[in-house]
Amino acid sequence: MPTTASPFTDIARARHSPRQFLPAPVSPSDIRGVLEDAQTAPSNSNTQQWTVHVVSGAARDALSKELLRAEEEGRTSPDFTADYGEGVFQERAQAQAAGHYRARGIERADREGRRVAVRENLEFYGAPHAAFLFMPVLGDGVRTAGDIGMYAQNFLLSLAARGLGGIPQTILGFYADTVREFLGVPEDLKLLFGISFGTADLAAPVNVVRRGRVPLRQSVVLHDTPGVLDGQ
């Protein structure tokens, strides 16, 4: 029997990562609801290995200042490496960055303009809240990181379902020591990334840009599963 699009499909396909937010805070009930939805994520043997710190208000502002100071002083302290390689993944990342800067009116040669844009990450793009996702390192950490990713996707989709926006930011993990010290997080919990969230500023030109996805044929290989990619 043919299937029809569901509300979930609409939410999942409409969700995007805004890069400018309105300052109004999210209601406590909505934040709690998002956290409860995220908590339902699957995890390896139901270990639920995530530890999440949410900053708002004065704490959010003070942490942003600490992050900006760390950036000025060149004090990066990532718990994990970040590398796109030399092939198609690097090309996709460069295309995404080019679209972002173009929407901001920043020329390729404008180094200072690009630095200002990068520093906006550390101001959470104006979002009133940010969540920091920490994980213990068990084994090589890959399974735990996968669990954190599923938690984060629930978090992001729950925001979208409530008419809110969120953007996962790897760059926040580049300042893991700064974040840990500020929040009083023990050294054995590693910072994977953060999510800035709130109400997206839909009038901002940077939020009009939508990042496309590659066709299924470029990422899916089917075995004895006919008809799925017909017309792709």
Side-chain angles (χ1 to χ4, degrees):
M1 187 172 186
T3 57
T4 58
S6 68
F8 173 81
T9 299
D10 295 337
I11 292 167
R13 297 187 184 190
R15 194 212 69 78
H16 67 287
S17 296
R19 285 171 169 77
Q20 190 165 325
F21 292 83
L22 300 174
V26 175
S27 72
S29 62
D30 274 333
I31 294 177
R32 180 184 178 93
V34 168
L35 292 170
E36 289 175 338
D37 289 344
Q39 192 74 15
T40 68
S43 60
N44 185 39
S45 297
N46 197 33
T47 46
Q48 304 174 59
Q49 298 168 29
W50 42 78
T51 297
V52 182
H53 286 245
V54 177
V55 295
S56 311
R60 173 246 185 243
D61 297 344
L63 178 52
S64 177
K65 289 180 181 178
E66 290 297 321
L67 290 168
L68 291 168
R69 185 176 297 113
E71 188 274 340
E72 289 172 0
E73 298 172 358
R75 289 188 286 109
T76 55
S77 51
D79 290 327
F80 304 97
T81 59
D83 188 357
Y84 299 117
E86 302 259 335
V88 65
F89 306 124
Q90 177 73 7
E91 293 169 4
R92 291 173 188 169
Q94 290 173 339
Q96 187 278 328
H100 172 62
Y101 292 134
R102 190 162 49 247
R104 295 281 309 276
I106 300 173
E107 299 293 334
R108 183 179 179 83
D110 184 0
R111 288 192 174 185
E112 182 57 27
R114 287 177 174 240
R115 180 170 181 246
V116 169
V118 169
R119 282 169 62 83
E120 288 184 359
N121 279 275
L122 307 180
E123 298 172 319
F124 313 121
Y125 290 118
H129 312 281
F132 292 84
L133 280 61
F134 293 90
M135 54 174 275
V137 177
L138 306 175
D140 62 8
V142 172
R143 291 184 185 276
T144 304
D147 292 346
I148 301 297
M150 290 186 281
Y151 178 99
Q153 182 71 334
N154 271 20
F155 192 105
L156 293 165
L157 291 175
S158 182
L159 286 170
R162 298 164 193 275
L164 301 166
I167 176 170
Q169 295 171 265
T170 302
I171 192 173
L172 297 178
F174 291 175
Y175 300 91
D177 286 347
T178 299
V179 176
R180 261 193 299 270
E181 181 178 354
F182 183 89
L183 297 177
V185 175
E187 181 66 28
D188 61 347
L189 288 179
K190 304 304 181 182
L191 178 57
L192 194 56
F193 57 90
I195 299 174
S196 295
F197 67 98
T199 302
D201 182 356
L202 299 181
V206 72
N207 285 340
V208 175
V209 178
R210 291 292 184 271
R211 283 83 187 171
R213 298 294 186 267
V214 300
L216 291 180
R217 285 190 181 277
Q218 293 187 27
S219 58
V220 178
V221 179
L222 300 176
H223 302 266
D224 290 331
T225 313
V228 174
L229 298 181
D230 289 354
Q232 289 284 313

